[in-house]
C-alpha cells in the first residue's frame, strides 16, 4: 500500500511540475503586464516584450535597451514580478507603450535571487550565444529590426517612438541615432 502511495505522490509531483513549468513564462508575463513577440528575420530571431496597456488613441512608445550584463528582461520573487527597466512603469502605462528587447541567449525571465547579478547556465557559464552577440554592431541591428517591426504594428506606428538605453544601452541607442539621422531631431531618435 505504501508503495502505491509513493508512486501516486511521485506521479502527482511530476504532473504538477510539468503543468506549472509550462505556465511559468505565461504567468510571469501576465503578472508583469507584458506580451512576448518573437521577430524572425532572415538571419536572426529576436525576442522582445511589449506592455499590454492599450488605449484607443495613439501614444508614444519607449523602447528600452538594457546594459551589458546578461540579464533576463523580467525578474520574479515570492511577491511580485518586475521588469529590468530601472523605474516603476505602472505610473506611465496610460501615457506610454513600453518595449524591452531581450539579450541573445538569455532567458526572458529570471529570479531576483539567482539571476540579478547576471544569468549563468547550469555549468555556471554565461551562454556562448550571448557572448557571440554581445557587440555594438549586433545590438544596433537588433534595435533597428525591432523598431522596423514596431512601425508595422497599428498600436505603435502612429505615435512617436523614443529609444532609451541604460548603462551600455546608451551606446547602442546613440549608434542607432547616428546611423539613422533622418529619423532623429537634435540627435534624438524620433519616428
Amino acid at each position: 500500500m505504501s508503495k502505491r502511495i509513493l508512486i501516486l505522490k511521485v506521479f502527482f509531483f511530476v504532473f504538477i511540475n510539468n503543468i506549472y513549468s509550462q505556465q511559468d513564462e505565461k504567468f510571469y508575463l501576465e503578472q508583469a503586464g507584458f506580451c512576448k513577440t518573437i521577430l524572425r528575420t532572415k538571419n536572426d530571431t529576436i525576442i522582445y516584450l511589449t506592455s499590454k496597456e492599450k488605449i484607443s488613441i495613439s501614444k508614444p512608445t519607449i523602447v528600452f535597451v538594457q546594459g551589458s550584463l546578461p540579464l533576463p528582461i523580467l525578474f520574479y520573487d515570492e511577491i511580485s514580478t518586475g521588469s529590468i527597466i530601472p523605474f516603476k512603469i505602472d505610473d506611465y502605462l496610460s501615457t506610454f507603450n513600453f518595449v524591452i528587447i531581450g539579450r541573445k541567449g538569455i532567458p526572458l525571465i529570471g529570479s531576483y535571487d539567482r539571476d540579478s547579478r547576471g544569468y549563468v547556465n547550469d555549468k555556471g557559464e554565461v551562454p556562448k550565444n550571448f557572448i557571440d552577440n554581445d557587440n555594438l554592431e549586433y545590438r544596433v541591428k537588433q534595435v533597428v529590426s525591432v523598431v522596423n517591426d514596431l512601425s508595422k504594428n497599428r498600436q505603435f506606428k502612429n505615435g512617436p517612438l523614443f529609444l532609451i538605453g541604460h548603462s551600455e544601452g546608451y551606446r547602442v541607442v546613440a549608434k542607432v541615432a547616428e546611423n539613422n539621422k533622418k529619423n532623429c531631431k537634435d540627435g534624438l531618435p524620433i519616428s
Side-chain angles (χ1 to χ4, degrees):
M1 179 95 164
S2 68
K3 193 173 187 178
R4 284 185 181 178
I5 292 173
L6 179 63
I7 290 171
L8 283 173
K9 285 181 180 180
V10 169
F11 174 76
F12 181 73
F13 175 76
V14 170
F15 179 74
I16 293 300
N17 192 37
N18 279 339
I19 289 174
Y20 181 71
S21 65
Q22 291 173 1
Q23 294 180 359
D24 276 351
E25 183 176 277
K26 184 178 179 182
F27 172 79
Y28 291 122
L29 287 170
E30 184 73 29
Q31 189 176 32
F34 285 93
C35 295
K36 174 179 158 181
T37 300
I38 300 172
L39 171 61
R40 294 185 194 331
T41 67
K42 192 179 216 179
N43 301 317
D44 199 8
T45 300
I46 301 166
I47 298 174
Y48 65 92
L49 301 183
T50 57
S51 55
K52 287 175 55 171
E53 180 82 16
K54 292 186 180 177
I55 292 182
S56 58
I57 60 169
S58 174
K59 60 183 177 177
T61 298
I62 295 175
V63 177
F64 180 78
V65 181
Q66 61 178 299
S68 61
L69 291 176
L71 295 173
I73 295 176
L74 300 178
F75 287 97
Y76 66 89
D77 60 18
E78 303 81 31
I79 300 169
S80 65
T81 302
S83 74
I84 194 169
I85 294 178
F87 57 88
K88 189 170 172 79
I89 68 170
D90 293 347
D91 299 336
Y92 304 101
L93 284 173
S94 62
T95 308
F96 296 98
N97 293 307
F98 285 89
V99 175
I100 311 172
I101 303 171
R103 296 299 306 267
K104 195 74 165 175
I106 304 301
L108 288 178
I109 301 160
S111 78
Y112 283 112
D113 293 340
R114 185 184 62 239
D115 302 315
S116 62
R117 297 195 189 278
Y119 174 82
V120 293
N121 60 23
D122 294 339
K123 297 177 183 177
E125 302 169 344
V126 174
K128 183 175 179 350
N129 204 5
F130 172 85
I131 294 169
D132 291 346
N133 294 288
D134 187 27
N135 60 71
L136 186 60
E137 180 181 347
Y138 172 75
R139 295 193 69 199
V140 166
K141 286 180 185 177
Q142 187 185 42
V143 171
V144 170
S145 294
V146 169
V147 168
N148 289 338
D149 192 51
L150 292 172
S151 70
K152 298 172 191 170
N153 184 317
R154 190 183 63 175
Q155 180 182 353
F156 304 103
K157 74 178 183 178
N158 294 326
L161 186 130
F162 302 96
L163 302 176
I164 60 172
H166 177 260
S167 188
E168 185 184 86
Y170 90 89
R171 291 182 61 230
V172 177
V173 170
K175 194 65 166 175
V176 170
E178 179 184 334
N179 293 345
N180 295 283
K181 290 181 182 175
K182 69 178 180 169
N183 291 328
C184 297
K185 180 178 181 182
D186 299 326
L188 299 173
I190 58 170
S191 80

